[in-house]
Each structure stands twice: as structure tokens, then as C-alpha cells.
Amino acid sequence: MGLSQFIIIGIINNLSTDFRVSIADIGALVTIFAIVYAVATPIINLSIGSIALHKVMLFFMLIFSFGNLLTAIASNFNVLLMSRIITALSSGPLMSTAVTFAAAIAPQRKRAWLISWVFSGFSIASVFGVPLGTWISDNLNWRLTFWTIFLPQSLLLS
């Protein structure tokens, strides 16, 4: 998720060129993502209720994967925009559910350690994944970056 959320900044020039829109338009994707994430996450989380955490995680992983697949195959800027909104709608609930799930399955003495690893994984993906994704985009193709995000998820879900 960390890579998917922040990679747009690293590949902004490639997206601008490919979709023939301004860098400001691509930058707006980051703003829209952040707004959707911030507004939708608490609302969605409140609506989850007592649904089993593993089912909630699976549901949001499917949506997140679909959003990244849609980004990888986006044919125009509007599809790209919709794909980022879909990804934002699923990222927040997925992250909060992952933390809750980790706390629920961990023994009391390992709970803090496991939760810290959930957040560490997110940070590591951001710190190392974004430069790697930018390199892939600059040297191969920006779409390959999103295929790289999508394919491992699809394997986990199968």
C-alpha cells in the first residue's frame, strides 16, 4: 500500500507525458487520493460493524488490487483518476483493518511488536518501493510499476 499511495509523485513526469496532461493535473491525483482517503476511511470503518476482520481485509484487498490493475491499464486520465479514487477508498480501511487484525491475532505480549511490523512494512514499502517504482517507470514503463504492485496481490488472493 505504501508504494501504491506514494508512487504517483515519483512518476509524475511519465504520467504527464503519457496522458498528455499537465504536471499539476497529475499532482491533483495525489490531493484527490488524500482527500478521499481522509474522508472515506472513518466513514467506511464505522460501517464495517461486526463483520469478521478476515472477510473485511479480503474484501478491501480485492478492491485495492482492482484499483491498481485499473491504474496499470488506464487508457485515459479519467480512468486513471477513477482508479486512484478506488485505491484510496480501499487503502484506509485496509490499513486500519490490518492493524486491528494484527492486534486480534497476536498474543498480548507480542501485540505491540506485531502492530509495529504492520506499520514498518508500510514505511519500508514507501522508503524503498517508491525509488524502485520510479526507477522501473523511468527505465522500463510506468505501467510496469503498477503491474508489480498488482501481481503479488493477485497471487495472494488466489
Side-chain angles (χ1 to χ4, degrees), residues 2-158:
L3 174 56
S4 177
Q5 289 180 11
F6 300 119
I7 191 59
I8 297 297
I9 296 302
I11 64 174
I12 198 165
N13 291 327
N14 297 332
L15 292 172
S16 175
T17 300
D18 199 31
F19 288 104
R20 295 179 180 88
V21 297
S22 70
I23 288 176
D25 288 340
I26 300 298
L29 292 174
V30 176
T31 302
I32 292 166
F33 185 101
I35 291 169
V36 169
Y37 185 101
V39 172
T41 297
I43 295 167
I44 292 170
N45 284 346
L46 286 171
S47 69
I48 291 169
S50 61
I51 302 169
L53 290 175
H54 69 280
K55 291 180 182 178
V56 172
M57 280 186 58
L58 180 60
F59 176 75
F60 284 111
M61 284 181 71
L62 287 167
I63 294 172
F64 183 75
S65 294
F66 173 73
N68 284 301
L69 172 63
L70 194 56
T71 301
I73 64 171
S75 57
N76 60 57
F77 183 76
N78 290 332
V79 173
L80 180 64
L81 173 62
M82 289 309 303
S83 73
R84 300 307 296 159
I85 290 172
I86 290 167
T87 306
L89 285 169
S90 60
S91 291
L94 185 54
M95 185 65 178
S96 59
T97 304
V99 170
T100 306
F101 189 71
I105 64 169
Q108 181 66 35
R109 61 183 168 66
K110 293 197 175 210
R111 193 166 290 159
W113 177 84
L114 187 57
I115 291 170
S116 72
W117 271 106
V118 171
F119 282 106
S120 294
F122 185 79
S123 298
I124 290 166
S126 299
V127 170
F128 294 106
V130 171
L132 179 60
T134 301
W135 184 89
I136 290 169
S137 178
D138 288 344
N139 293 289
L140 302 170
N141 185 302
W142 71 264
R143 293 177 190 279
L144 185 57
T145 301
F146 285 94
W147 282 110
T148 304
I149 296 168
F150 169 75
L151 289 174
Q153 294 168 359
S154 63
L155 293 174
L156 284 174
L157 293 171
S158 59

